[in-house]
Amino acid sequence: MRLNPRQLPQSLNKGLAPIYIVSGDEPLLVQECCDSIRAAARNQGFNERELLHAEHNFDWGQLIASAGSMSLFAEKKLIEVRLPNGKPGDKGSKALQEFAQIGSDDLVLLLVLPKVDRSQLNSKWMKSLEQRGALIQVWPVDANEMPRWIHQRLRAEGLDAEPEAIQILAERVEGNLLAASQEIEKLKLLSNDNLITAATMNDAVASSARYDVFGLIDRALAGDAEAAVKTLHGLRAEGVEAPVVLWALAREIRSLLEIGEKLDQGQPLNRLVRIQKRQPLVQAAIARLPRRQLEALLLRARAVDNAIKGGRELNPWTGLLELTLNLSGKRSL
């Protein structure tokens, strides 16, 4: 069966499934789903927990061996497998299918992996696990949903807030759910009553936005010039060096040129861009920026590189601002 995170508590109250697959790219929500499953398992006597990190060159035989070995002090066991790349490979696929055939009330498997794509959902190993257990797909909370998520979170902690206060927190954390959760914990300590006003929120909440070069690239590819420029200013304020930002921008421009050429040759985008959530960003950028313009941006990136090395009378950050605007589809002065 498939569950969303809101349905998980009710399902756990009815009893444990033999297998749980928790999939998603939002760390806080994934962690909370896993915590709920672990807690339910402990309450039902699963006192032994074994953690396996299925990274590169992982021996999948450990999974089957773990299923066959029990501690002298525990009758029931939770096996947690973390699969960072989401792809078990041939050996892992066979091991997971074999595990799915093990019928035991004394074993629960918790498989934690990133967001899965359609091919993974249709794979034999996923279908075999899903037939015996539950798949919980965790989706990110987008900007439009963030205020409602914050309000629900506040209510769950016994707090309420003015609409303006909720909006302040949503803007400050910029989609960072972990930061939002931490700020709500802090508000519980600071609040004299259960209502958080806009003034209280302004005073209490620090800016928790994370600025990173990869966020800058994604915002520029999406054509969101305002957010991209804000991120660029944030990077500079945090002390990130100009060469690091230039490296990311130039690499992405070269990548767009290469992808555009291969698309013209008839190659599919999903083979050229492996990360599914980046595919629409890259597609939009290639549609917006013709090859000639991308080549001009590379020449401009070289000029910024010369400026960084002291070879031109140009402020490197001004050059980076122009590159960011142009990559976002905006003209610079």
Side-chain angles (χ1 to χ4, degrees):
M1 59 181 169
R2 295 187 183 183
L3 303 171
N4 65 48
R6 292 187 299 274
Q7 295 171 317
L8 180 60
Q10 184 179 0
S11 176
L12 290 171
N13 287 336
K14 294 178 180 178
L16 276 176
I19 296 171
Y20 289 95
I21 311 111
V22 180
S23 163
D25 294 329
E26 180 46 67
L28 175 67
L29 300 184
V30 168
Q31 182 65 38
E32 290 180 343
C33 286
C34 293
D35 287 344
S36 297
I37 294 166
R38 295 187 199 107
R42 284 194 301 271
N43 290 338
Q44 297 190 35
F46 288 79
N47 296 319
E48 183 179 358
R49 171 175 170 254
E50 184 168 354
L51 177 61
L52 302 176
H53 292 275
E55 297 176 325
H56 185 59
N57 291 330
F58 174 70
D59 178 9
W60 282 96
Q62 292 182 47
L63 174 61
I64 305 304
S66 178
S69 63
M70 301 291 286
S71 165
L72 295 174
F73 306 101
E75 297 179 354
K76 297 182 177 182
K77 184 177 187 178
L78 171 70
I79 303 174
E80 182 172 338
V81 179
R82 297 181 185 173
L83 185 59
N85 68 1
K87 297 178 180 179
D90 291 340
K91 292 181 180 179
S93 176
K94 291 177 183 177
L96 290 169
Q97 290 178 74
E98 184 178 346
F99 188 97
Q101 300 305 314
I102 299 174
S104 173
D105 295 333
D106 300 331
L107 281 175
V108 168
L109 172 66
L110 171 57
L111 177 64
V112 186
L113 63 163
K115 177 184 174 183
V116 291
D117 57 27
R118 184 176 298 177
S119 64
Q120 290 166 294
L121 288 173
N122 292 327
S123 64
K124 290 182 179 179
W125 64 269
M126 179 65 79
K127 287 184 175 180
S128 64
L129 294 178
E130 200 177 343
Q131 284 175 357
R132 290 206 58 226
L135 169 63
I136 301 100
Q137 291 179 280
V138 176
W139 302 102
V141 178
D142 64 27
N144 293 329
E145 295 173 338
M146 193 68 181
R148 183 164 60 89
W149 184 88
I150 289 173
H151 194 203
Q152 291 173 344
R153 199 83 177 187
L154 286 165
R155 297 294 293 273
E157 297 293 343
L159 299 172
D160 205 348
E162 296 175 350
E164 187 181 350
I166 293 172
Q167 194 61 42
I168 290 170
L169 180 55
E171 290 177 359
R172 296 285 177 87
V173 298
E174 289 192 341
N176 185 342
L177 298 191
L178 180 58
S181 179
Q182 291 171 342
E183 295 294 352
I184 290 169
E185 288 295 320
K186 186 167 68 175
L187 287 166
K188 285 169 59 179
L189 301 174
L190 296 175
S191 175
N192 293 324
D193 53 30
N194 292 335
L195 179 66
I196 308 297
T197 65
T200 301
M201 189 71 80
N202 245 332
D203 292 339
V205 179
S207 177
S208 301
R210 292 180 180 177
Y211 297 104
D212 60 80
V213 289
F214 301 108
L216 168 67
I217 297 301
D218 284 352
R219 291 175 182 113
L221 291 181
D224 191 344
E226 183 178 353
V229 169
K230 182 178 179 182
T231 304
L232 180 68
H233 291 327
L235 288 167
R236 186 178 185 182
E238 289 183 354
V240 176
E241 297 292 338
V244 175
V245 180
L246 178 62
W247 165 81
L249 288 166
R251 187 188 69 162
E252 197 63 34
I253 294 165
R254 284 192 292 269
S255 176
L256 289 174
L257 281 166
E258 182 179 347
I259 291 170
E261 183 177 345
K262 291 181 178 179
L263 286 174
D264 290 341
Q265 296 170 359
Q267 296 190 36
L269 181 65
N270 59 4
R271 186 177 297 175
L272 301 172
V273 183
R274 297 293 186 180
I275 302 175
Q276 190 176 20
K277 67 181 181 181
R278 297 197 79 240
Q279 291 172 8
L281 299 178
V282 171
Q283 193 169 31
I286 289 175
R288 186 175 64 245
L289 300 167
R291 182 176 185 84
R292 185 170 56 184
Q293 189 171 348
L294 288 170
E295 290 172 345
L297 288 181
L298 264 188
L299 290 175
R300 190 165 299 168
R302 290 173 189 167
V304 176
D305 183 51
N306 287 335
I308 290 172
K309 296 173 180 176
R312 284 190 58 177
E313 292 184 5
L314 170 70
N315 184 316
W317 286 98
T318 300
L320 291 172
L321 174 60
E322 290 181 355
L323 275 176
T324 300
L325 286 169
N326 296 157
L327 189 59
S328 303
K330 301 293 183 183
R331 291 185 177 182
S332 55
L333 294 177

